[in-house]
Amino acid sequence: MTERRWSAEEERYRAPAWLDRVQRRALLLGVFAALLSVVGALLSPEHFFRAYLVGFLFWIGIPLGLFGISMLQHMTGGGWGLVARRVFEAASRTLPFLALLFLPLLWGRRSLYVWARPEVVAESELLQHKQPYLNEPFFLGRALLYFGVWLLFALLLSRWSLQQDRSNDPHLHRRMQILSSLGLVAYMLTASFASFDWLMSLDPAWFSSLFGIHFVVGHGAAAFAFLIVWMRRLSGTEPMADVVAPRHFDDYGKFLLAFVLLWAYVSFSQFLIIWSGNLPEEITWYVHRQEGGWWWLGIVVFALHFVLPFFLLLSPALRREPARLALVALPVLVGRWLDLHWQAVPSLELHAPLLHWLDIAVLVAIGGLWLAAFLWQLKRRALVPIHDPHLQEALADA
Amino acid sequence: MAQEKLYGVMAEFDRAEQLIEAVKQVRSHGFKKLDAYTPYPIEELQHALGHEKSLLPRLVLLGGIVGGVGGFLLQYWSSAIAYPLNIGGRPLNSWPAFIPVTFECTILVAAVTAVLGMLALNGLPMPHHPVFNVRRFALASRNRYFLCIEARDPKFDAAKTAAFLWSLNPTHVAEVEV
């Protein structure tokens, strides 16, 4: 397919040239870290796979969260999301790439999931009982279903949005709204089940019904933190300098505040329910995470993902200043990654060192490659949806 | 008429932008005691009037802290000091169980402080206000925008202030009787 000529209106919002430079650097860093990770994988496959699981879950949470937010914005409207819609869509279009990055997990399934090891299942009555759900073909089938649903909604929305740029068809606005209402429900359900499959089943004896929403809320927090960091960079130069205003950042800050609050609320609710019940099959999950360094890591997660951003984001002056807001968003991203690490690793090996060098290498590898894919997609369209009926009121100078 | 005590002088505008511009002009001329009246809230107007520094947020924070600490201590006192009971082998100071009530008390006292503090600071409920003595002021809840410079302003002078307000292109200027 040949590249279509851009209209003058689209040209006005073409991505700035410095994105190429960042994309190249991200790709280089990603490839370098990936090579390092491959070496690590050969030396110590177990550490590699657990680092890969955490890294993968961290990075997929950002595009999934942005995809969810884009559907939310289609339904509610609001200038904050209109000026960021192209960031949402570019992130959504990286989901096929993340589906490819899921493949190494299938390769490492026996290293990660005890229920996938026939010799362990043969000796455990509990695992045999859970086998109708926790078995390899069904696990793969469900993963295909999750990605299928995400790709269907994400790519359709992204396509209609591009059509809107080109054709100015007024019906597309309503069509995207209707699709989003279905997609949001589908996303909540599939992402919840994905969290049960990929993360909760690491400890197949343990269960929590709040786990799914905890995972999805984590996506929301990570997505808004990422959005703040990127909108800040994009708003530094033309064309986005005339589009994004302090009031938009104020909204992003409020959303981030809401999501860190919700995260703390769900995290604590899960803990309180299990702590009150005090049942052996549930409480051990928390008992293990109180041992040694895990206790301290848990406190660090709570501080980075709740205490610090909560108090700082209360200030309206801070929320309206992109540079300071981005400084608050970064610790939330670190907290999100450590939260996933804290949830995953003690289920696999309790006396593991808190961090392994591979944890960082794999995180940077997936992140660099994903960021390059994201920027590549971001450049392919005008940075604002030029024919959205509400665009004029959303722009910074309006 | 000139002998009567005045509350202030009021100008009426057709459009919100004119009012905001007028507020900026009036403030840059050194007037301090003024207020604006509009049919709907206008965020920009607040900034133009310089009404940003309110005591209320600090009162609400204080209320929240009092509620939170009080709520926790109430539970601590009743479960660990006044009526110590062994429930399921848990420690007397079972703080995780105290968190929901602590949270609710924080919200409760903060919210009540916000309502009562708002009323205490703005003087509501107020059955009558001098601005209603201007007949056209009824339009403030429909489609007109009003700006009133109050007589307690040190720079106030009924004739000069009215002339100054006329210079800002309002549709009407009226004296507001007490």
Side-chain angles (χ1 to χ4, degrees):
Chain A
M1 208 177 85
T2 51
E3 192 70 7
R4 191 189 53 96
R5 287 277 294 272
W6 287 36
S7 70
E9 253 176 315
E10 287 176 282
E11 263 322 323
R12 195 178 148 204
Y13 294 111
R14 191 182 267 285
W18 59 264
L19 279 186
D20 293 321
R21 219 167 49 235
V22 180
Q23 188 194 355
R24 255 198 316 278
R25 274 186 213 155
L27 187 66
L28 228 81
L29 190 67
V31 169
F32 173 73
L35 290 175
L36 215 62
S37 306
V38 170
V39 175
L42 295 172
L43 291 172
S44 152
E46 263 180 40
H47 280 122
F48 170 77
F49 284 123
R50 75 177 61 150
Y52 194 89
L53 176 70
V54 173
F56 175 79
L57 290 179
F58 172 76
W59 285 109
I60 199 175
I62 292 172
L64 275 182
L66 290 169
F67 162 58
I69 295 164
S70 84
M71 292 189 287
L72 190 73
Q73 199 274 337
H74 273 299
M75 291 178 64
T76 63
W80 59 269
L82 199 51
V83 299
R85 184 175 293 161
R86 286 295 140 88
V87 173
F88 301 153
E89 287 168 2
S92 304
R93 288 196 302 275
T94 62
L95 285 170
F97 173 67
L98 281 156
L100 280 181
L101 288 181
F102 183 72
L103 296 177
L105 286 180
L106 292 177
W107 197 22
R109 67 194 183 280
R110 298 220 167 144
S111 160
L112 288 167
Y113 302 105
V114 282
W115 52 261
R117 291 180 210 148
E119 71 279 8
V120 180
V121 177
E123 283 180 13
S124 161
E125 208 175 314
L126 181 78
L127 289 183
Q128 285 161 26
H129 182 70
K130 292 195 175 192
Q131 210 165 27
Y133 187 84
L134 290 178
N135 64 69
E136 291 179 317
F138 196 25
F139 178 82
L140 176 64
R142 284 193 308 266
L144 282 174
L145 176 76
Y146 306 148
F147 277 108
V149 169
W150 299 336
L151 290 181
L152 175 75
F153 284 100
L155 298 183
L156 211 51
L157 272 180
S158 166
R159 213 171 123 175
W160 286 352
S161 183
L162 184 64
Q163 269 178 28
Q164 192 184 41
D165 273 12
R166 293 178 183 177
S167 71
N168 211 355
D169 178 356
H171 299 296
L172 283 165
H173 180 64
R174 185 77 188 137
R175 247 166 60 193
M176 287 191 276
Q177 217 167 28
I178 293 168
L179 186 71
S180 296
S181 64
L182 301 172
L184 209 52
V185 176
Y187 159 63
M188 292 298 276
L189 287 173
T190 45
S192 296
F193 275 91
S195 79
F196 300 153
D197 287 7
W198 300 343
L199 193 53
M200 200 168 91
S201 81
L202 286 174
D203 185 344
W206 185 72
F207 50 88
S208 160
S209 46
L210 278 169
F211 203 77
I213 191 71
H214 184 261
F215 191 62
V216 175
V217 168
H219 289 173
F224 270 109
F226 178 84
L227 186 68
I228 287 167
V229 173
W230 268 97
M231 290 310 271
R232 187 227 153 183
R233 289 213 63 176
L234 283 173
S235 68
T237 55
E238 296 294 327
M240 293 301 270
D242 298 335
V243 172
V244 197
R247 69 189 147 91
H248 295 133
F249 282 99
D250 190 35
D251 287 343
Y252 302 147
K254 284 178 193 160
F255 270 114
L256 184 60
L257 177 63
F259 271 103
V260 297
L261 260 172
L262 198 55
W263 175 87
Y265 177 80
V266 177
S267 300
F268 182 76
S269 300
Q270 176 176 286
F271 170 71
L272 184 65
I273 291 166
I274 290 175
W275 177 86
S276 304
N278 208 19
L279 300 171
E281 66 266 32
E282 290 178 349
I283 195 74
T284 33
W285 196 85
Y286 280 107
V287 171
H288 285 162
R289 280 158 185 77
Q290 280 180 12
E291 283 178 25
W294 295 115
W295 168 250
W296 294 108
L297 193 64
I299 288 175
V300 170
V301 169
F302 192 67
L304 290 179
H305 207 302
F306 175 65
V307 182
L308 188 75
F310 172 74
F311 284 104
L312 291 175
L313 288 171
L314 286 177
S315 153
L318 182 142
R319 290 198 306 262
R320 299 182 81 92
E321 210 177 297
R324 282 164 70 200
L325 188 61
L327 276 182
V328 181
L330 280 172
V332 177
L333 286 171
V334 177
R336 172 69 187 153
W337 172 60
L338 288 175
D339 183 28
L340 288 165
H341 185 78
W342 185 81
Q343 291 179 72
V345 176
S347 294
L348 291 161
E349 187 190 348
L350 192 51
H351 298 292
L354 277 192
L355 278 179
H356 191 270
W357 66 267
L358 264 170
D359 291 327
I360 310 281
V362 174
L363 183 78
V364 174
I366 301 178
L369 297 176
W370 177 78
L371 204 60
F374 164 73
L375 292 174
W376 171 53
Q377 289 298 333
L378 190 63
K379 288 188 310 192
R380 292 181 60 196
R381 292 185 187 177
L383 288 178
V384 285
I386 49 174
H387 288 153
D388 189 281
H390 300 291
L391 183 65
Q392 282 315 313
E393 45 196 286
L395 294 181
D397 41 14
Chain B
M1 167 120 179
Q3 304 307 315
E4 276 183 67
K5 252 189 99 109
L6 285 182
Y7 172 76
V9 182
M10 185 189 269
E12 175 188 330
F13 297 90
D14 271 341
R15 297 206 329 267
E17 302 83 65
Q18 292 176 322
L19 172 69
I20 292 164
E21 191 45 44
V23 169
K24 286 178 187 161
Q25 289 279 335
V26 169
R27 293 229 326 161
S28 69
H29 272 75
F31 288 104
K32 297 228 160 51
K33 304 289 177 195
L34 62 147
D35 210 345
Y37 306 87
T38 59
Y40 53 88
I42 301 172
E43 204 182 331
E44 234 184 308
L45 189 60
Q46 269 201 25
H47 301 300
L49 281 168
H51 279 184
E52 272 130 300
K53 279 184 196 139
S54 162
L55 190 63
L56 197 58
R58 261 162 283 177
L59 282 180
V60 174
L61 178 68
L62 201 68
I65 293 171
V66 168
V69 173
F72 188 90
L73 288 180
L74 175 73
Q75 295 171 87
Y76 179 82
W77 175 78
S78 53
S79 340
I81 298 169
Y83 306 99
L85 285 176
N86 182 339
I87 301 166
R90 293 199 185 83
L92 293 174
N93 176 25
S94 285
W95 65 266
F98 299 166
I99 298 289
V101 174
T102 305
F103 174 75
E104 299 296 348
C105 287
T106 311
I107 304 295
L108 178 70
V109 180
V112 169
T113 312
V115 175
L116 296 182
M118 181 266 291
L119 292 178
L121 291 176
N122 66 13
L124 288 175
M126 191 186 287
H128 186 74
H129 192 278
V131 288
F132 291 110
N133 292 333
V134 177
R135 279 183 67 88
R136 291 188 62 85
F137 187 73
L139 293 170
S141 59
R142 288 194 212 158
N143 57 358
R144 293 290 194 280
Y145 306 84
F146 292 85
L147 168 61
C148 182
I149 301 181
E150 293 161 24
R152 57 199 171 112
D153 193 289
K155 284 191 71 178
F156 185 84
D157 174 286
K160 279 186 200 162
T161 307
F164 170 61
L165 279 176
W166 271 116
S167 74
L168 302 170
N169 296 323
T171 52
H172 293 82
V173 172
E175 293 187 332
V176 185
E177 291 159 24
V178 174

